[in-house]
Amino acid sequence: MGYEFDFSAVLTDQYIGWLLSGIRITLMLSAGAWLLSFAVGTALAVLRATNFKPAVWLVATFVEIHQNIPLLVQVLFWYFAMPEILPEAWRDWLNQNNSEFILAMIAIAMCHAAYISEALRSGLRAVPVTQYEAGRSFGFSYLQTMSYIVVPQALRLSIPPLVNHSLLLFKNTSIAMAIGVHELTYQTRQIDSDTFRTFEIFLVATILYILMSFVIMAAGNLAERRFGMGAR
Amino acid sequence: MISFENVNKWYGPELQVLNDVTAEVNKGEVVVLCGPSGSGKTTLIRTINRLEPINSGKITVNGQETHAKSANVNRLRREIGFVFQQFNLFPHMSVMDNITLAPRKLKGMSRPEAEEKALKLLARVGLEEKAGAYPSQLSGGQSQRVAIARSLAMDPPIILFDEPTSALDPEMVGEVLAVIKGLAHTGITMMCVTHEMGFARDVADRVWFLDKGVLLEDAKPGEFFSNPKHPRAQRFLADLRH
Ligand SMILES: Nc1ncnc2c1ncn2[C@@H]1O[C@H](COP(=O)(O)OP(=O)(O)OP(=O)(O)O)[C@@H](O)[C@H]1O
Ligand SMILES: [Mg+2]
């Protein structure tokens, strides 16, 4: 006996089209969630660095919640529960504008913002306080000093963990299929149920994910060489 | 230009680092601040731009009470250059960006204008060719000269130095002191913590001697070096000569 591989069944023009559209959505979801998670993660880390008690508590709570609840649950929560408490106008807008994509993006971004803020927190602690003082001594405000001097250094110091989190975020976009986002894993499942060529199509999807991960890792290496604090 | 009136500062309930300091620096003057290690020199110079808070007394810079609650500390600091012992250049930026950051962001200067000014300042400290370098590529002496140029980019009427040469290898002390000497008596008001007594003798209008937080001497350099009034100052000078 033995399994007869037949890739021609899954690599027809139609299915290649589905895969490409899945890749497009996966990349869009990754890019959107990545940008949002870095913006929110940086804001959280800076907020925490104020050492202002309520801010520290707020950020710590945000981080705990997002790190301890499964991402799938968070995605389902954003998709099924959040719209209920939104104003009607927002809900209508979401429904007309691809709500599953937007809510999946927000859910993934918020979860990873928690991890990114933690990675940046160690980076921020590694920036000598004298750098902060030098910034303030020119007359820069707290926020100016953070954004021109301290955060850029913390980001550079945190490149390795930030690259890891970026990879993880990219892989986690597959969870969005649970609420019907037509990303790569969703399309793979569709082709599978059309053709019953489970092994072949998942092998193809695996290779596609690995290739894209390689690109992210290569970009990370480049960033480390170009911007890493040991670079010069 | 800078005046201290009965300034007191404690670290915790036990350690009084500044003890009733009253003194004045006139516009355009060069004051050298010296004293034994731990006497409060760094603390005193850092109270001027409010990097350190004080517990009582009054510090006035250019007519403004700097520790008043109503004082706009960020505006005040733009007028006061501060040069640190450890240079504190921004390691993620080129020399050019180190120098242009503050004028661009705080004074709204355009990039070309700020860069032109930076090149002039670099020429003044003898480092035109280092504009594109990064701080990790500079020697200690070069770093400190860039740090001085960076402070001057804001055209501060006052510049403060906290032991600008004590983190340097001996062969680099001269180049930095030469730059500071070149600044003296050009109209800028200068205060410099240093143990370089030759520099104090040549450049200072007055020498302040601080001991255990008390300002024991405020004298012309000639007077201070030949005839220090206080026995502690005498001992300090004798120790330095060994
Ligand atoms: N943040 C701080 N907390 C507690 N004590 C401090 C702090 N900073 C300085 N001190 C103490 O205050 C005293 C004065 O310190 P300061 O740094 O002003 O002295 P200094 O004259 O500059 O000494 P040096 O010549 O070693 O630089 C010292 O006894 C020092 O240990
Ligand atoms: Mg000191």
Side-chain angles (χ1 to χ4, degrees), chain B residues 11 15 17 35-44 85 162-163 195:
Chain B
Y11 281 121
L15 180 64
V17 270
S37 180
S39 57
K41 305 179 296 292
T42 296
T43 307
L44 182 67
Q85 186 173 355
D162 186 12
E163 303 208 34
H195 290 139

Side-chain angles (χ1 to χ4, degrees), chain A residues 141-163:
Chain A
S141 67
Y142 173 79
L143 277 180
Q144 286 175 319
T145 305
M146 291 309 265
S147 50
Y148 302 140
I149 295 155
V150 181
V151 170
Q153 291 184 52
L155 279 169
R156 285 164 164 81
L157 289 165
S158 316
I159 289 174
L162 291 175
V163 171

